[in-house]
């Protein structure tokens, strides 16, 4: 192995990246973790984490990420602040940070996560973390016996509406089209649930409230002659219109599905189709998108990287 080339670089500072760093550092590979634009990743958009094992009283996401970071640092992980702007896969792999610093590595773990799609309303940003969420499983518990709205018309939106209906007093499902795109069985469950009210042909134009979400202004049949504006009182607003994986840097270099999620090899949940390249977390997980699942996949990626590096 070339002494001028690093053993392992990890891109991403969410649960997957930090867990990979902990395992790789304990295996004495002296990993470098490039932290990216947001420490903690998508988890930082929520207000409190109550479903990650080891925190019986819940934990603020910043605190949890700081715990993971300090644990990785304890075993020798080196952290680099900045955003990766370019990657060349080869022997070795080359990583550019902020277009200026270039790192070479024998193994690479991609843990760049995914980002929820938002409507683009200014009020979404205002109330993010104060009533606006993109994860019902993560935040639904905070809205027990309250009224919430879910935006979307596909399977994910219907699943989240049903999940929230088990916790909340009432759930509005806001659908911009006159029909649901979800599978028929999902449609039947939503339409027959007395706690879910489906608002077809509605678009959200703004969220309202004093310090937190307390309502939403909707337009019925936007752009039509019979367009109507009305208001609903809600305590929470959930986006379920999809996610996009943060894998743009690797398009054309690594195999992805139609939505851009990195594909792992059939015999491994971490290896992908390039020598010494591994994936972990939401960038390769279109299904679960949970911090504990991401952490587990970070462990797998580090173990696979360890096995690969030993062959060199």
């Amino acid at each position: 192995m070339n002494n001028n080339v690093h053993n392992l670089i990890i891109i991403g500072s969410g649960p997957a990246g930090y867990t990979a760093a902990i395992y790789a550092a304990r295996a004495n590979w002296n990993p470098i973790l490039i932290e990216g634009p947001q420490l903690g990743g998508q988890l930082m958009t929520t207000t409190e984490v109550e479903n990650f094992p080891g925190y019986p009283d819940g934990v603020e996401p910043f605190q949890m990420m700081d715990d993971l970071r300090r644990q990785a640092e304890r075993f020798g992980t080196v952290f680099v602040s900045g955003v990766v702007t370019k990657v060349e896969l080869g022997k070795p792999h080359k990583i550019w940070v902020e277009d200026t610093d270039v790192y070479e590595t024998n193994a690479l773990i991609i843990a760049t996560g995914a980002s929820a799609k938002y409507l683009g309303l200014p009020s979404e940003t205002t109330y993010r973390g104060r009533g606006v969420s993109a994860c019902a499983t993560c935040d639904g518990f905070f809205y027990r016996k309250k009224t919430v709205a879910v935006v979307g018309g596909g399977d994910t939106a219907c699943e989240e509406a049903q999940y929230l209906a088990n916790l909340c007093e009432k759930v509005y499902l806001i659908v911009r089209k006159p029909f649901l795109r979800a599978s028929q069985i999902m449609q039947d469950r939503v339409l027959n649930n007395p706690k879910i009210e489906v608002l077809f042909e509605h678009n959200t134009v703004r969220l309202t409230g004093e310090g937190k979400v307390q309502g939403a202004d909707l337009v019925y049949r936007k752009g039509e002659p019979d367009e109507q504006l009305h208001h609903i009182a809600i305590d929470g607003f959930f986006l379920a219109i999809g996610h996009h994986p943060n894998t743009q840097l690797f398009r054309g270099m690594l195999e992805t599905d139609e939505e851009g999620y990195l594909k792992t090899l059939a015999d491994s949940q971490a290896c992908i189709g390039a020598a010494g390249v591994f994936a972990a977390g939401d960038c390769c997980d279109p299904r679960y998108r949970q911090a504990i699942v991401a952490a587990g996949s970070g462990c797998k990626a580090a173990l696979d990287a360890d096995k690969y590096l030993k062959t060199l």
Side-chain angles (χ1 to χ4, degrees), residues 64-200:
M64 192 179 93
M65 290 298 98
D66 186 59
D67 289 344
L68 290 175
R69 190 183 191 276
R70 288 189 294 107
Q71 190 172 357
E73 188 174 34
R74 171 191 169 195
F75 296 114
T77 301
V78 175
F79 297 97
V80 173
S81 297
V83 177
V84 174
T85 53
K86 181 181 176 182
V87 174
E88 284 185 6
L89 301 182
K91 293 185 177 181
H93 308 300
K94 294 183 179 180
I95 315 295
W96 278 259
V97 178
E98 305 291 354
D99 292 322
T100 53
D101 298 325
V102 183
Y103 296 82
E104 295 187 339
T105 181
N106 287 300
L108 173 66
I109 294 177
I110 302 167
T112 49
S115 301
K117 295 178 181 177
Y118 288 84
L119 297 174
L121 305 174
S123 52
E124 278 179 316
T125 303
T126 301
Y127 296 108
R128 193 169 299 181
R130 292 185 292 168
V132 173
S133 172
C135 181
T137 309
C138 308
D139 298 329
F141 186 76
F142 301 114
Y143 298 92
R144 289 169 296 170
K145 298 182 180 180
K146 295 185 178 181
T147 299
V148 300
V150 177
V151 178
D155 279 332
T156 299
C158 288
E159 287 175 5
E160 301 229 327
Q162 290 180 85
Y163 176 83
L164 290 166
N166 289 327
L167 300 168
C168 301
E169 186 72 27
K170 182 180 180 64
V171 178
Y172 292 104
L173 182 60
I174 303 171
V175 184
R176 65 185 179 88
K177 295 183 178 181
F179 55 86
L180 292 170
R181 294 181 291 103
S183 58
Q184 190 59 52
I185 189 169
M186 296 299 294
Q187 293 187 43
D188 292 342
R189 289 173 180 172
V190 164
L191 295 173
N192 292 315
N193 191 319
K195 296 176 73 175
I196 300 174
E197 180 179 347
V198 183
L199 302 176
F200 289 110

Side-chain angles (χ1 to χ4, degrees), residues 1 5-9 24 27-31 93 105-109 276 278 301-312:
M1 295 172 68
V5 178
H6 299 288
N7 294 318
L8 174 64
I9 286 179
N28 206 33
W29 290 116
N30 304 311
H93 308 300
T105 181
N106 287 300
L108 173 66
I109 294 177
F278 310 88
L303 294 176
D304 283 351
D306 173 69
K307 184 176 180 180
Y308 171 78
L309 288 167
K310 287 175 178 175
T311 68
L312 304 183

